[in-house]
Amino acid sequence: MAVTLEQAQRVGYTFLKALLRFAFMVANNLVAIPSYVLYLIVLQPLRVLDSKRFWYIEGVLFKWLLAMVASWGWWAGYTVVEWGDDVKAVSEDEAMVLVNHQATGDVCTLMMCLQDKGTVVRQMMWLMDHIFKYTNFGIVSLIHGDFFIRQGKAHRDQQLVLLKEHLEKYYRSRNRKWIVLFPEGGFLRKRRETSQAFAKKNNLPFLKHVTLPRLGATQVILKTLVAPQENGTPAGGDAVIKESKSKGLQWVIDTTIAYPKGEPIDIQTWILGYRQPTVTHVHYRIFPIKDVPAEPEALTHWLYQRFIEKEDLLTHFYETGAFPPLQGQTKAVSREMTLSNLWLVGIQSLAFLSGGMWYCILQYFYHCLF
């Protein structure tokens, strides 16, 4: 089949645009990430004198970095429409966010849609696969205090112990509020067949749009971060005494990400922008922590129910193009999430100015020393 001139021009334009976007992303990373690290190195004395203020500044810088990632998708036309409960109402409380996982773009989508949720982004902790430690953003997540978890039965028990220790050491000392995890333990396309086989063997529902979640990390987070009076579990250890002023986790935010036609956006598309503008739909449902059971068997059932509900939500979305109304409502209400282009340009400009400043400073010290 012959390629028309118009088709060739379209392919050429898409390729050129992707090349320019990739070059901008590389330049963005080369100035923004080193600047983040150098600012925090210089501020180490403040960390000793006033730890709370240090982590406040780190959180602001972290939010700006995530906004830069969000801008790559935003300027490519990858926008977000939100449904369900309004999570802004609990943005100042501690919450655990449970998210379904389809592709690498899920993380970018969350980075975008949480930007306008008050202090959430700068005070959040992410649980992510250990492979992300070796990406360009790995050093940032390490400094910020995110937790990298290794998948597989061979590592599972040890990882849960390490997660508990990590939460006790970093969560409250750095004034974290939200903790984000993907309980499915991997991408939908990789885990679906295994999950369906497990469901069939254990007489559980057959799921197509999500997989059955794993309990381990969720249980550790609840045991470690929920205040004793909330879930009835006994207190223990010095950490509880030190953190007695905290109300603990107060909410679980069940978050469901849906892509048109079930075609998720991956990180390559997010960066290169070769896909047509796409609206990603994000549905929230908020549960008070008192409604979340602490006992393993009951918690497993509760968690399974959340993903069975996600299956129903996604089935409805793929059939109708919209999420169903919340219980007690007759009509589903959506909210278009927006970002300020002026603000994004300002952050990007600051990153490049910072990069130039640090380059000049390092050049000066190099010449002084050598």
Side-chain angles (χ1 to χ4, degrees):
M1 183 178 178
V3 178
T4 65
L5 178 60
E6 183 181 352
Q7 289 173 326
Q9 288 176 334
R10 189 182 304 118
V11 171
Y13 171 74
T14 301
F15 177 77
L16 179 61
K17 183 177 72 170
L19 189 63
L20 291 173
R21 284 177 58 88
F22 181 74
F24 175 78
M25 184 276 295
V26 171
N28 200 181
N29 275 270
L30 288 175
V31 296
I33 293 176
S35 294
Y36 166 88
V37 174
L38 289 168
Y39 276 126
L40 295 181
I41 289 174
V42 171
L43 289 172
Q44 284 304 302
L46 178 64
R47 183 177 180 179
V48 176
L49 298 172
D50 190 344
S51 177
K52 184 176 181 180
R53 191 174 299 275
F54 173 85
W55 288 112
Y56 174 88
I57 295 171
E58 184 279 333
V60 172
L61 296 175
F62 184 77
K63 179 176 180 177
W64 289 353
L65 284 178
L66 267 59
M68 292 177 202
V69 176
S71 72
W72 305 340
W74 180 258
W75 288 333
Y78 305 147
T79 57
V80 172
V81 167
E82 299 177 308
W83 304 75
D85 294 325
D86 185 359
V87 296
K88 289 182 181 179
V90 299
S91 62
E92 296 301 318
D93 299 332
E94 290 188 28
M96 176 172 65
V97 184
L98 306 176
V99 193
N100 62 313
H101 210 7
Q102 301 175 68
T104 48
D106 298 340
V107 175
C108 300
T109 296
L110 289 174
M111 288 180 178
M112 176 188 286
C113 64
L114 296 180
Q115 283 290 325
D116 67 343
K117 307 298 186 293
T119 61
V120 163
V121 174
R122 67 176 177 82
Q123 292 182 287
M124 72 195 313
M125 178 181 286
W126 296 77
L127 265 65
M128 59 187 77
D129 191 280
H130 80 287
I131 197 67
F132 285 100
K133 185 188 297 185
Y134 308 105
T135 66
N136 59 317
F137 213 77
I139 183 65
V140 174
S141 291
L142 279 170
I143 294 172
H144 184 70
D146 296 328
F147 184 77
F148 299 96
I149 192 164
R150 294 182 67 90
Q151 303 295 341
K153 292 182 180 179
H155 307 287
R156 190 169 300 162
D157 292 340
Q158 181 193 28
Q159 290 299 297
L160 295 179
V161 171
L162 292 174
L163 173 59
K164 184 177 187 299
E165 293 174 352
H166 186 88
L167 293 173
E168 291 175 339
K169 185 175 182 180
Y170 297 119
Y171 191 81
R172 299 254 158 72
S173 67
R174 299 185 182 184
N175 195 29
R176 298 295 175 244
K177 293 290 186 182
W178 282 23
I179 183 164
V180 181
L181 69 155
F182 301 89
E184 291 166 293
F187 298 139
L188 174 63
R189 68 179 187 278
K190 293 184 177 181
R191 291 208 64 243
R192 178 160 40 199
E193 187 175 339
T194 303
S195 175
Q196 290 173 345
F198 177 83
K200 184 177 181 180
K201 182 178 178 180
N202 292 275
N203 197 29
L204 294 167
F206 183 86
L207 307 176
K208 295 190 299 181
H209 306 306
V210 294
T211 66
L212 289 169
R214 294 172 176 175
L215 178 66
T218 304
Q219 187 175 28
V220 169
I221 291 168
L222 292 173
K223 281 187 174 181
T224 309
L225 300 182
V226 174
Q229 67 272 19
E230 294 283 4
N231 70 351
T233 55
D238 295 336
V240 175
I241 296 173
K242 292 177 183 178
E243 297 160 4
S244 59
K245 293 182 180 179
S246 172
K247 295 180 181 179
L249 284 182
Q250 296 169 266
W251 312 97
V252 172
I253 302 174
D254 188 27
T255 304
T256 304
I257 299 176
Y259 299 95
K261 300 179 181 179
E263 299 173 354
I265 299 175
D266 55 28
I267 187 67
Q268 299 94 318
T269 306
W270 193 270
I271 292 170
L272 300 177
Y274 51 77
R275 182 167 165 177
Q276 291 297 309
T278 302
V279 179
T280 302
H281 297 256
V282 181
H283 183 279
Y284 306 105
R285 189 176 176 199
I286 302 173
F287 295 88
I289 204 69
K290 63 181 178 61
D291 293 343
V292 182
E295 297 74 20
E297 186 175 346
L299 178 59
T300 300
H301 176 74
W302 185 89
L303 197 57
Y304 280 178
Q305 285 301 120
R306 301 290 72 77
F307 277 78
I308 292 169
E309 288 175 7
K310 285 180 185 291
E311 177 78 9
D312 294 338
L313 286 170
L314 290 168
T315 298
H316 189 279
F317 177 83
Y318 294 139
E319 290 175 353
T320 66
F323 283 113
L326 292 171
Q327 189 173 5
Q329 297 181 353
T330 56
K331 183 180 179 181
V333 179
S334 63
R335 305 173 296 276
E336 186 174 348
M337 186 268 163
T338 60
L339 290 175
S340 167
N341 285 314
L342 182 62
W343 180 62
L344 294 176
V345 169
I347 291 173
Q348 294 284 7
S349 300
L350 179 62
F352 284 98
L353 287 171
S354 294
M357 179 192 73
W358 287 117
Y359 176 78
C360 293
I361 291 173
L362 292 175
Q363 282 283 93
Y364 172 79
F365 279 108
Y366 176 82
H367 289 302
C368 287
L369 293 172
F370 302 101

